[in-house]
């Protein structure tokens, strides 16, 4: 496992539409392992592959309930609404208010290509939306209100 560099806003890769994963091989497993390590090191709750410069539909999330790995994730159902603070490891020290669904159901593959259906509410639903947006080149700041930059 290795820590990878996190791309920051302005880097083209964050605006790319990511490609579907078709090979569930060691290269994918290494990417997933490295992404988890990189996310934990940065104290993030989620990381998408373009944030480490890889234009593939791969996401890792841990909102404190254990590691979730999503390959080719798609939101298939949403319910309700929540409005709250959001930030991103690619936009350090910037925060904004984003409205997201309260509950989200996601369909994806696991690292071995097995079909997964996951449901999450609150912070997990927010993380699903935020990270899956990254796979389509969308950054939370595109959707945020009251953007704040913390400087010191
Ligand atoms: Ni982000």
């Amino acid at each position: 496992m290795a820590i990878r560099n996190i791309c920051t806003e302005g880097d083209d890769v964050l605006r790319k539409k990511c490609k579907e994963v078709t090979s569930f091989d060691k290269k994918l497993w290494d990417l997933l392992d490295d992404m988890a390590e990189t996310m934990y090191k940065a104290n993030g709750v989620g990381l998408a592959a373009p944030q480490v410069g890889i234009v593939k539909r791969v996401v890792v999330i841990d909102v404190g309930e254990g590691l979730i790995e999503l390959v080719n994730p798609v939101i298939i159902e949403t319910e309700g609404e929540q409005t709250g603070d959001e930030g991103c490891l690619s936009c350090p020290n910037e925060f904004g208010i984003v409205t997201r669904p309260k509950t989200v159901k996601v369909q994806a593959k696991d690292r071995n290509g097995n079909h997964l259906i996951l449901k999450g509410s609150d912070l997990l639903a927010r993380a699903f939306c935020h990270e899956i947006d990254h796979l389509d080149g969308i950054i939370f700041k595109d959707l945020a209100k009251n953007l704040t930059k913390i400087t010191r």
Side-chain angles (χ1 to χ4, degrees), residues 46-48 51 86-91 130-131 134 138-140:
L47 193 70
Q51 293 183 275
E86 211 165 294
C88 178
L89 292 175
S90 293
C91 312
H130 178 118
E131 301 311 331
H134 271 300
I138 298 164
I139 297 176
F140 85 99

Side-chain angles (χ1 to χ4, degrees), residues 100-125:
R100 301 284 194 184
K102 172 88 171 157
T103 302
V104 172
K105 195 192 256 190
V106 175
Q107 168 191 298
K109 302 279 190 189
D110 70 10
R111 61 163 60 209
N112 296 306
N114 298 310
H115 191 65
L116 281 181
I117 301 255
L118 293 173
K119 199 171 175 180
S121 295
D122 304 306
L123 181 57
L124 183 54

Side-chain angles (χ1 to χ4, degrees), residues 5-148:
N5 282 329
I6 298 179
C7 303
T8 49
E9 207 195 355
D11 200 321
D12 276 357
V13 73
L14 293 175
R15 293 306 190 176
K16 297 251 164 80
K17 177 145 177 90
C18 295
K19 296 183 201 92
E20 294 260 321
V21 171
T22 51
S23 302
F24 296 80
D25 53 8
K26 177 149 194 311
K27 201 171 169 193
L28 173 68
W29 303 336
D30 286 346
L31 173 64
L32 283 162
D33 289 344
D34 289 357
M35 283 172 62
E37 195 177 352
T38 304
M39 171 183 73
Y40 287 126
K41 176 86 190 302
N43 292 313
V45 298
L47 193 70
Q51 293 183 275
V52 293
I54 305 293
V55 191
K56 284 186 183 166
R57 305 190 78 82
V58 176
V59 159
V60 294
I61 290 171
D62 190 339
V63 296
E65 299 163 4
L67 180 63
I68 296 172
E69 297 176 337
L70 300 174
V71 180
N72 302 338
V74 178
I75 292 173
I76 53 171
E77 248 180 69
T78 64
E79 218 180 281
E81 204 177 272
Q82 58 173 322
T83 298
D85 256 330
E86 211 165 294
C88 178
L89 292 175
S90 293
C91 312
N93 304 315
E94 292 192 86
F95 301 91
I97 310 280
V98 185
T99 298
R100 301 284 194 184
K102 172 88 171 157
T103 302
V104 172
K105 195 192 256 190
V106 175
Q107 168 191 298
K109 302 279 190 189
D110 70 10
R111 61 163 60 209
N112 296 306
N114 298 310
H115 191 65
L116 281 181
I117 301 255
L118 293 173
K119 199 171 175 180
S121 295
D122 304 306
L123 181 57
L124 183 54
R126 182 175 291 285
F128 282 149
C129 295
H130 178 118
E131 301 311 331
I132 292 170
D133 273 354
H134 271 300
L135 306 181
D136 293 315
I138 298 164
I139 297 176
F140 85 99
K141 288 172 71 175
D142 303 341
L143 315 168
K145 291 184 180 144
N146 294 37
L147 272 172
T148 321

